[in-house]
Amino acid sequence: MNDLVWLEIKKENLISNIKTLKNLAGSKVLISPCVKANAYGHGLIETAKIFISAGADWLSVNSIEEAKKIRDVGINRPILVIGYVAESELEKILDWDLKIFISNFDYAEKLSMTGKIKNKIAKVHLKIDTGMHRYGVLMAEAEELAKKIKKLPHITIEGLATHFATSDEPLNLSYFNRQLENFKEIVPKIKNLVGNDLIIHCDKSASLLLCRHGLADLVRPGIAAYGYYPSQDVAKLAQEKNIILRPALSFKTKIGQIKKIPENSCVGYGCTCYTKRPTVLATIPVGYYDGYDRKLSNQGYVLVNGQKAPILGRVCMNITIIDITDCGQVIEGDEVVLIGEQGQENITVEQIANWAKTINYEVITRLRESLPRYYI
Ligand SMILES: Cc1ncc(COP(=O)(O)O)c(C=O)c1O
């Protein structure tokens, strides 16, 4: 392999996660995994295909651009665009048969007018703000909005959705329960206005893993589909229930230059590190441009020869310096693992997130889109 930095993605783990989530959702519930943000760093198109082969019914994306990439390769599954769509892009909703969230009338009216010009009916999902206060129509305005949209000729309200703010904090469920109660209150009211065949959805990974509320006709898991739990508390409770997710992704590079330097030598930009002993250094051709966070500077380690090789000094744009003194015989071109297993050792995404003081979501979605990805 000629690549210097690459990702390996285990298909069978992605498939296993989708099957686990489908089982949890139940056979009557549609599963619409989120493939936004380049499929959480896993590669949009290949991952979408793998998810479909594992039983995904719909796909959830953030943007029109992502939806277009999926349609361009001939995937014709229903696509729900869960992010903001500019009014100038409304035509594409109809051209590519996409479904979008709606939370205000002006927007719905413009979509209906576009539908009229194209002689098509747009399928929308009313997004209710049950307490997250991000997108969504406020509870008190939801019925009025549904009534007004229902009168528009070129729109069908196909679904009703909300999004939880704290479902990944299962040790304190009070706010989550409040949002759930709000949603339970609004569902029959909107069904009354629009019809009983509305597709009801509210679950992302955390609530799908832990909460059986029986409301949903569709679920929108993201992080869990890739094998990660949304938080440590969710992981603990899910694993206690024997819900096992399998991370699929490894992040790898190769050893570049090797050299021996004496004790008390400066390493890297800013001389933020001085060697404490005669040290064998290696450079690896990966840096923050690739999504290897600069906050890993002088933090954590990579794996070389199945041993931990600490990061020395600052992570640069395209280069990182590691200490391979204790890694045995190493030569230029040897494989280095940044995320994943080597020998008996394993560096998890959560470990990286911990070092970089962020969350697993950010670590994987930041992986450079143009990195080669191998599906094995
Ligand atoms: C509207 C919506 N639904 C579902 C998800 C998936 O969330 P998770 O990755 O926690 O499952 C997201 C994630 O950002 C979202 O914004």
Side-chain angles (χ1 to χ4, degrees), residues 34 36 40 82 101 127 134 162-163 203-206 220-224 230 361:
C34 292
K36 59 184 187 149
Y40 284 49
I82 62 180
F101 280 153
K127 179 91 182 276
R134 198 169 65 172
T162 196
H163 194 52
D203 293 297
K204 53 182 178 161
S205 300
R220 312 181 305 259
I223 196 97
Y361 291 72

Side-chain angles (χ1 to χ4, degrees), residues 175-203:
Y175 201 77
F176 170 75
N177 284 334
R178 202 151 102 203
Q179 278 197 269
L180 191 59
E181 286 312 311
N182 285 344
F183 197 49
K184 279 184 182 164
E185 185 191 317
I186 203 80
V187 165
K189 291 181 179 165
I190 305 289
K191 275 191 170 174
N192 220 6
L193 293 168
V194 177
N196 275 328
D197 51 355
L198 265 188
I199 300 171
I200 307 299
H201 49 114
C202 53
D203 293 297

